[in-house]
Amino acid sequence: MVVLKGIPSVLSPDLLYVLAKMGHGDDLVLADVNFPSSSICACGPREVRADGLGIPQLLEAILKLLPLDNYVPPSSSSHGSCR
């Protein structure tokens, strides 16, 4: 088996492909088994399962490769800053 250096082994090839295609503003949902991904992903987003992995373990592995995007577009309903 070939192992790429620095890539956590818990990340599947499918998940690595999805992460590689992500850009600014794209969303990634890490959810448990009760999340209705099959119905949500039927017409748009791609479902990548990571059965047997906990969300903290998966998140830690993803963050080693992909930094969080901290850009948040301004809300159209905001009327100045509140303090």
Side-chain angles (χ1 to χ4, degrees):
M1 172 186 353
V2 176
V3 178
L4 298 173
K5 294 181 180 182
I7 296 180
S9 61
V10 298
L11 300 179
S12 69
D14 286 340
L15 183 53
L16 289 172
Y17 176 77
V18 168
L19 293 173
K21 292 193 60 87
M22 289 183 72
H24 292 285
D26 286 346
D27 295 322
L28 179 68
V29 175
L30 302 179
D32 67 9
V33 69
N34 297 311
F35 186 76
S37 59
S38 294
S39 59
I40 291 173
C41 295
C43 299
R46 182 169 173 191
E47 174 184 23
V48 177
R49 298 184 60 99
D51 295 338
L53 295 176
I55 291 176
Q57 180 184 14
L58 193 56
L59 180 60
E60 182 179 344
I62 290 170
L63 290 176
K64 289 181 180 178
L65 301 178
L66 189 68
L68 291 178
D69 186 356
N70 60 5
Y71 172 76
V72 177
S75 171
S76 61
S77 63
S78 66
H79 301 287
S81 62
C82 298
R83 293 189 182 179

